[in-house]
């Protein structure tokens, strides 16, 4: 009988599954279909890798021929298909496969020898054989002080040699390297002398379980870079377990995105040191199905929202491997209201889908939270995320070259979103969310859009000479620059979530923000407090001191009353900034920004 490992499988997604995903959800049966597609994809990549590696001039190095590992994998599947499935769907597998194929094809360089990179295949085969319970003896590479057995754990042995052996006889297994050996425990998830087993988090609430691996061992666990093993100590491990358990309770309670499907999506959590401000770091990748990178320093609500967010990414990436939704869309020129840098349309589609799920999560929290700071905070997040999702969806519908299935997908998402856009939100959370939507777009435009120089010069000349400017507005081109993290979102969250802490901060603004960040500016505090007159005064003073303070230009627009100046800054902020820069001559700081914006506004259609 031909092994399914040796076949390429054509996977057709059912109409019911597609419709469920297009509603922004997806239960266990839906995720099972996506997993089946990912398994097929991994098998095809693995077959290609073995064929290329078998003919590569730099291989096999000190290891046996690659087909030896391939045949061991087939033996394991004959005994236990589930064991091989576990390896094929292990998130680092996809990362390694893609990296290794790029390396073999000369598309990626690296310091590690090619044979060692390909050697991960031998470790995969050994893990599958161990799980299948077959007797075998197989060579595996040694790196960073030991042998990684994917999906199982890490055996620490002196790396005085390049190659070790994994041996299983009867029910006893060991990793051997010259005089050194590590006996593997019967339960490979347990630790033993010289052995670190991969552990699992566990969250369970209302009978809904999620138990992803906590991968602190595999070199390919972090899809952003190769990492050495960094074993969490007992205190760190317990901290992760406690945070995950609390967050999973919140995920399980909501019903906007099927929590059982979320649990089925999450195969591994990878602790990473990456910092992000003002929101915590989380990430997923199409190359690492089921993996979520997380910085652990976060509260349960934020972590729960991140789990929903990344599960949506995981589902959509798997869907797009099976069903084309968009053609092209790789140019990084489009505005994404949740990112500080221009994005491709494909990235925008990912963001829309992820934030649709997050919007649903926060709507559920609005309905569950007690009146007061908890409900106000949830209402703010709900209002912010639904507006961001709607903005991204409009861009996709206007600019993306959608396939027929892609158009159907977005239309169904839009139907779900319209239900949430119709919901009422209290005035203060709504005002803060609306302002931040404007704030983000204004800062983005002033940082990344560059007004055409020659027309800008003519507009500046018209100001100086008190003549009419050109009839047409200057065009603009996208010129990405390094973005800066905004300060105002953190203040909005503090005001709503901790009114007493916000009041103390207003009294003594020399203190930094709770959880990180520099001491806030008084104008930003006045904006968050709902005092536009004082905020306007503060932003004008900031621009007097630094005319290139883009956050102050945006704050000016948020604080101005309705009129020509505000209209200009909302609709053409990059023009106002460019003309102001053209008019500056040292030591002159240039004209009053409000007066200039008003003048432009009386001479433009809006």
């Amino acid at each position: 009988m031909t092994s399914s490992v040796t076949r390429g499988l054509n996977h057709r997604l059912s109409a019911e599954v597609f419709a469920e995903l297009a509603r922004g959800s997806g239960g266990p049966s839906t995720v099972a279909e996506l997993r089946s597609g990912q398994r097929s994809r991994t098998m095809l990549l693995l077959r290609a890798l073995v064929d290329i590696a078998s003919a590569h001039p730099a291989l096999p190095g000190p290891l046996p021929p690659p087909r030896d590992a391939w045949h061991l994998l087939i033996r394991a599947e004959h005994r236990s298909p589930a064991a091989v499935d576990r390896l094929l769907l292990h998130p680092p597998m996809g990362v390694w496969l893609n990296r290794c194929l790029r390396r073999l094809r000369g598309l990626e360089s690296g310091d590690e020898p090619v044979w060692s990179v390909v050697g991960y295949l031998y470790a995969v085969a050994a893990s599958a054989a161990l799980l299948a319970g077959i007797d075998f003896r197989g060579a595996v590479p040694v790196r960073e002080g030991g042998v990684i057995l994917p999906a199982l754990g890490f055996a620490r042995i002196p790396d005085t040699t390049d190659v070790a052996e994994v041996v299983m006889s009867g029910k006893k297994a060991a990793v051997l390297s010259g005089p050194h050996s590590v006996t593997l425990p019967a339960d490979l998830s347990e630790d033993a002398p010289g052995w670190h087993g991969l552990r699992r988090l566990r969250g369970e609430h209302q009978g809904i379980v999620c138990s992803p691996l906590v991968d602190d061992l595999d070199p390919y666990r972090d899809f952003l870079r190769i990492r050495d093993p960094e074993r969490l100590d007992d205190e760190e491990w317990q901290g992760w377990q406690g945070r995950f358990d609390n967050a999973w309770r919140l995920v399980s309670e909501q019903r906007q995105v099927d929590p059982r499907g979320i649990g089925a999506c999450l195969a591994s959590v990878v602790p990473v040191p990456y910092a992000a401000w003002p929101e915590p770091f989380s990430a997923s990748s199409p190359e690492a199905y089921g993996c979520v990178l997380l910085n652990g320093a976060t509260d349960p609500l934020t972590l729960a929202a991140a789990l929903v967010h990344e599960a949506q990414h995981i589902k959509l990436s798997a869907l797009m491997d099976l069903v084309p939704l968009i053609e092209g869309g790789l140019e990084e020129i489009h505005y994404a209201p949740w990112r500080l840098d221009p994005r491709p349309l494909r990235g925008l589609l990912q963001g829309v889908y992820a934030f649709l799920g997050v919007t649903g999560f926060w709507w559920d929290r609005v309905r569950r939270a007690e009146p007061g700071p908890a409900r106000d905070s949830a209402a703010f997040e709900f209002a912010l995320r639904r507006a961001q999702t709607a903005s991204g969806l409009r861009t996709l519908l206007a600019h993306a070259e959608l396939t027929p299935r892609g158009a159907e997908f977005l239309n169904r998402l839009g139907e779900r979103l319209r239900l949430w856009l119709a919901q009422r939100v209290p005035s203060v959370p709504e005002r803060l969310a609306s302002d931040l939507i404007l704030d983000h777009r204004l800062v983005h435009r002033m940082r990344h859009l560059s007004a055409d120089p020659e027309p800008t010069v003519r507009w500046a000349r018209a100001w100086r000479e008190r003549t009419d400017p050109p009839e047409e507005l200057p065009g603009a081109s996208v010129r990405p620059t390094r973005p800066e993290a905004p300060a105002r979102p953190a203040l909005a969250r503090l005001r709503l979530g901790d009114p007493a802490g916000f009041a103390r901060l207003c009294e003594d603004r020399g203190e930094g923000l709770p959880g990180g960040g520099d001491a806030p500016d008084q104008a930003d505090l006045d904006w968050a407090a709902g005092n536009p007159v004082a905020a306007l005064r503060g932003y004008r003073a900031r621009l007097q001191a630094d005319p290139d303070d883009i956050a102050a230009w945006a704050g000016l627009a948020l604080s101005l009353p309705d009129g020509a100046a505000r209209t200009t800054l909302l609709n053409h902020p990059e023009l106002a900034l460019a003309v102001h820069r053209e008019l500056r001559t040292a030591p002159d700081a240039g004209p009053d920004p409000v007066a200039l914006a008003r003048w432009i506004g009386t001479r433009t259609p809006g």
Side-chain angles (χ1 to χ4, degrees):
M1 183 175 68
T2 303
S3 166
S4 65
V5 174
T6 65
R7 296 198 305 266
L9 300 182
N10 293 320
H11 189 92
R12 295 178 61 85
L13 198 71
S14 70
E16 294 78 9
V17 165
F18 182 82
E20 189 175 8
L21 291 169
R23 289 193 295 270
S25 190
S29 60
T30 293
V31 174
E33 283 211 37
L34 296 177
R35 285 170 60 87
S36 179
Q38 288 298 298
R39 185 187 191 280
S40 298
R41 178 178 182 273
T42 301
M43 286 191 293
L44 291 172
L45 291 176
L46 193 57
R47 287 181 64 193
L49 185 142
V50 171
D51 289 343
I52 296 170
S54 297
H56 197 282
L59 297 174
L63 292 166
R67 293 199 183 277
D68 285 11
W70 176 249
H71 292 314
L72 179 58
L73 193 63
I74 293 173
R75 280 183 61 205
E77 196 201 24
H78 283 155
R79 172 69 66 84
S80 174
V84 173
D85 277 1
R86 181 169 167 184
L87 270 299
L88 292 175
L89 292 167
H90 186 49
M93 182 78 165
V95 180
W96 164 72
L97 270 170
N98 284 277
R99 282 182 176 269
C100 190
L101 282 168
R102 290 193 291 267
R103 182 75 182 273
L104 290 174
R105 291 167 173 161
L107 302 176
E108 185 172 287
S109 60
D111 296 331
E112 191 178 2
V114 174
W115 70 263
S116 181
V117 178
V118 175
Y120 192 85
L121 168 65
Y122 300 74
V124 166
S127 287
L130 288 169
L131 288 172
I134 61 176
D135 289 352
F136 75 100
R137 177 181 291 268
V140 290
V142 178
R143 55 181 296 166
E144 305 303 333
V147 169
I148 185 70
L149 291 173
L152 301 180
F154 183 73
R156 292 199 174 275
I157 58 175
D159 52 1
T160 54
T161 183
D162 292 331
V163 176
E165 282 189 311
V166 181
V167 178
M168 185 164 186
S169 179
K171 294 185 178 294
K172 295 182 179 180
V175 178
L176 309 176
S177 176
H180 306 284
S181 67
V182 174
T183 300
L184 302 184
D187 182 351
L188 292 166
S189 67
E190 297 289 338
D191 285 353
W195 173 254
H196 291 310
L198 268 182
R199 298 169 291 193
R200 288 186 179 274
L201 295 170
R202 182 173 175 82
E204 181 174 3
H205 185 65
Q206 299 178 344
I208 302 172
V209 177
C210 182
S211 188
L213 295 167
V214 177
D215 199 340
D216 49 5
L217 299 172
D218 198 291
Y220 297 101
R221 66 191 183 276
D222 180 349
F223 49 78
L224 297 178
R225 68 181 180 91
I226 295 175
R227 303 178 68 88
D228 296 340
E230 296 171 337
R231 187 67 163 177
L232 298 174
D233 62 31
D234 289 343
E235 183 178 354
E236 291 170 324
W237 159 249
Q238 292 300 327
W240 274 95
Q241 176 56 53
R243 288 190 297 273
F244 184 82
D245 185 57
N246 290 331
W248 185 250
R249 176 179 57 80
L250 299 173
V251 174
S252 298
E253 287 177 352
Q254 62 83 39
R255 292 295 185 269
Q256 304 302 312
V257 181
D258 193 325
R260 298 167 304 157
I262 295 173
C265 275
L266 302 178
S268 72
V269 168
V270 177
V272 293
Y274 309 132
W277 177 257
E279 298 181 27
F281 178 88
S282 70
S284 52
S285 168
E287 292 188 353
Y289 175 79
C291 172
V292 177
L293 307 186
L294 285 172
N295 185 316
T298 186
D299 62 275
L301 265 174
T302 306
L303 178 55
L307 293 176
V308 174
H309 180 106
E310 300 304 340
Q312 294 294 91
H313 279 313
I314 290 165
K315 286 184 285 187
L316 182 60
S317 293
L319 172 65
M320 291 175 70
D321 281 339
L322 300 173
V323 180
L325 301 177
I326 186 173
E327 304 289 352
L330 300 177
E331 302 83 5
E332 297 185 356
I333 59 174
H334 296 279
Y335 170 62
W338 47 79
R339 289 282 296 246
L340 297 172
D341 51 342
R343 297 293 290 157
L345 287 170
R346 287 178 177 269
L348 207 60
L349 176 57
Q350 280 282 358
V352 164
Y353 195 70
F355 280 109
L356 184 80
V358 173
T359 299
F361 172 81
W362 286 114
W363 174 239
D364 188 89
R365 297 313 306 170
V366 170
R367 297 191 297 174
R368 291 175 180 274
E370 295 292 330
R375 183 176 293 177
D376 287 344
S377 294
F380 164 78
E381 299 292 350
F382 169 68
L384 180 67
R385 299 313 186 187
R386 72 178 178 179
Q388 290 174 328
T389 306
S391 172
L393 184 59
R394 286 193 297 271
T395 300
L396 285 168
L397 292 173
H399 298 287
E401 184 180 348
L402 300 170
T403 66
R405 300 299 297 276
E408 177 188 354
F409 190 79
L410 289 190
N411 287 332
R412 287 177 181 264
L413 292 184
E415 291 172 4
R416 184 76 181 276
L417 182 59
R418 279 192 290 275
L419 297 175
W420 288 325
L421 290 171
Q423 303 301 324
R424 297 187 64 181
V425 171
S427 58
V428 174
E430 176 65 29
R431 192 272 297 180
L432 291 169
S434 297
D435 270 10
L436 288 176
I437 289 292
L438 293 173
D439 185 25
H440 190 280
R441 182 174 60 84
L442 293 170
V443 170
H444 185 277
R445 290 185 63 152
M446 286 185 281
R447 287 212 174 275
H448 302 303
L449 288 185
S450 178
D452 294 343
E454 291 186 11
T456 299
V457 169
R458 290 197 292 271
W459 273 80
R461 186 183 305 123
W463 167 272
R464 289 194 187 98
E465 297 174 357
R466 299 296 188 265
T467 59
D468 289 335
E471 293 184 2
E472 294 185 0
L473 295 174
S477 56
V478 178
R479 296 182 181 176
T481 60
R482 183 179 179 84
E484 296 177 5
R488 285 184 279 264
L491 290 175
R493 291 185 169 100
L494 181 64
R495 179 190 171 178
L496 295 169
D498 184 5
F502 180 76
R504 289 193 299 272
L505 192 65
C506 290
E507 292 174 2
D508 184 6
R509 63 185 182 89
E511 297 294 328
L513 290 169
D518 297 330
D521 175 80
Q522 183 61 46
D524 289 338
L525 286 170
D526 290 331
W527 163 80
N531 189 347
V533 174
L536 179 60
R537 186 166 55 248
Y539 290 128
R540 294 182 82 153
R542 278 172 59 175
L543 289 173
Q544 183 68 27
D546 179 7
D548 277 318
D549 185 343
I550 287 176
W553 278 94
L556 201 68
L558 299 180
S559 305
L560 279 168
D562 289 338
R566 176 177 165 85
T567 299
T568 296
L569 291 177
L570 291 181
N571 294 337
H572 311 291
E574 68 282 355
L575 172 60
L577 178 61
V579 173
H580 195 272
R581 284 172 172 165
E582 187 65 31
L583 291 169
R584 292 179 217 157
T585 55
D588 183 12
D592 172 44
V594 176
L596 177 64
R598 186 182 300 115
W599 175 77
I600 294 174
T602 60
R603 288 159 175 79
T604 59

